Amino acid sequence: RQARVVIGRGGDAFTFDFAPIRGTAIHDDLAFRDFTINALALPVTRVAGSLLDPLHGLRDIAEGKIRACGTGIFDDDPLRLLRAIRFAVTLGFAIEEVTWQEMLTRSHLLANVAGERIREEFFLVLGARNVAASLELLRSSGLLPMIIPGDCHNGEYFSDFAARRTFAAGAERVIEDCERLFPSVRDNLSAHLERPVEGGISLFSLLKLAAFLSGEDARESIKTCCDRIRLGAKARAELKVLCDCATAFPSVPESVVGERFLYRFFRDRAPGGAELVVLPLAARLIDPEMATRLVSFYFYDYRPTDANLLLSGEQVMNLLGVGPGPRLGRILETLREAESVGQVSTVDEAREFLLKTVDNSRSIG
């Protein structure tokens, strides 16, 4: 039986995994590991002992190489194919040639791995720096079609692969350049992009995937990818709105871009937030000034749907004599917009605004 013990919380937590030894001794167990850099062991007795390194993992660490422990490791667990890529891109190591050739002949085995297992490794790969190199490794290894199924014409996977890879790299540069592009909100935006959408999937990882999927037939690409790696409803919705913004952005004169426009931009693209400017900026659909206006408005003025308004739903019902239902929802949405654009800023102003608005307009009746 296997067990996991976690001591501490957050970034200070230590995780300990316990599992029975495979084989008759520790050396047998190490030989069953995936890669030599993971086939190391230390005695846990009180008497200090030397490091056990039967497969020369320390040498491979020093040389920056990912080397399989044996020829059968990918047959035992095909997810190791993707783990090899993940170790290479996160550690900056190279995959040793014999191991690489073995991966090329076994890449089709990843099709038999559950999407949930693939998803975790895949987003760790996307979370590493240099997404262009990561995507190239995934493509050249034959693993990417097992993760993002795509049409193959004359044996070519995604004929515009180079353009997609370049766009993903451009999105990554925008993310990494937040301090220069958005100096007034760089800390807010950095923290925002690191937040998980669901299941440990960060926004900055999802942005890189959206950049790769956007373009022609984006809707179909999103669906096949999401189905394959079993993305949940939140990540699917976020991915769709990101791809939409990557190829189309409202074209309006600068003179009419007021706070109401900024508010409705985010309102109409929920659940998207400040991250929605990254792909249009990378695609040069908007300029840095417009992107800064949007991001600043989002962090300083925008009231998301889950924000506390100046008046609660119960207070609005008592004030206006309405009951719960769609009409109340429309009234609260009107108040949310008024707060976001600075039309009201106190409880008294909110009451006066609603009394006047509901009395003079049937549109929210």
Side-chain angles (χ1 to χ4, degrees), residues 150-179:
D151 291 334
C152 292
H153 299 289
N154 298 322
E156 187 177 6
Y157 170 73
F158 276 124
S159 57
D160 58 348
F161 173 82
R164 291 172 181 268
R165 180 188 60 198
T166 299
F167 189 30
E172 183 177 66
R173 284 193 294 273
V174 171
I175 294 169
E176 293 179 348
D177 210 14
C178 282
E179 184 169 346

Side-chain angles (χ1 to χ4, degrees), residues 22 29-41 52-58 60-61 65-67 69 80 83-84 86-87 91 93:
R22 290 172 293 178
D29 184 86
L30 294 176
F32 286 127
R33 303 289 175 87
D34 49 8
F35 305 105
T36 59
I37 62 173
N38 292 329
L40 306 169
L52 299 178
D53 183 18
L55 300 178
H56 308 293
L58 280 180
D60 286 337
I61 291 174
K65 290 182 178 179
I66 306 297
R67 187 192 307 272
C69 288
R80 289 169 168 173
R83 280 170 58 84
R86 193 247 295 180
F87 285 134
L91 298 175
F93 285 11

Side-chain angles (χ1 to χ4, degrees), residues 5-20:
V5 175
V6 180
I7 299 176
R9 294 183 179 181
D12 296 326
F14 290 90
T15 301
F16 301 89
D17 291 326
F18 296 87

Side-chain angles (χ1 to χ4, degrees), residues 64-143:
K65 290 182 178 179
I66 306 297
R67 187 192 307 272
C69 288
T71 57
I73 70 159
F74 302 122
D75 296 301
D76 293 341
D77 184 0
L79 186 65
R80 289 169 168 173
L81 292 158
L82 193 51
R83 280 170 58 84
I85 302 291
R86 193 247 295 180
F87 285 134
V89 300
T90 56
L91 298 175
F93 285 11
I95 300 175
E96 179 266 336
E97 183 60 25
V98 173
T99 301
W100 178 251
Q101 293 301 321
E102 188 76 11
M103 290 174 63
L104 294 180
T105 64
R106 295 289 191 273
S107 60
H108 64 281
L109 296 177
L110 193 67
N112 302 321
V113 178
E116 292 86 351
R117 298 186 68 209
I118 290 176
R119 181 182 62 228
E120 182 176 355
E121 291 288 343
F122 180 49
F123 278 103
L124 288 173
V125 171
L126 290 178
R129 297 190 63 180
N130 198 349
V131 68
S134 298
L135 288 169
E136 180 56 38
L137 266 180
L138 288 169
R139 185 200 63 81
S140 58
S141 65
L143 297 177

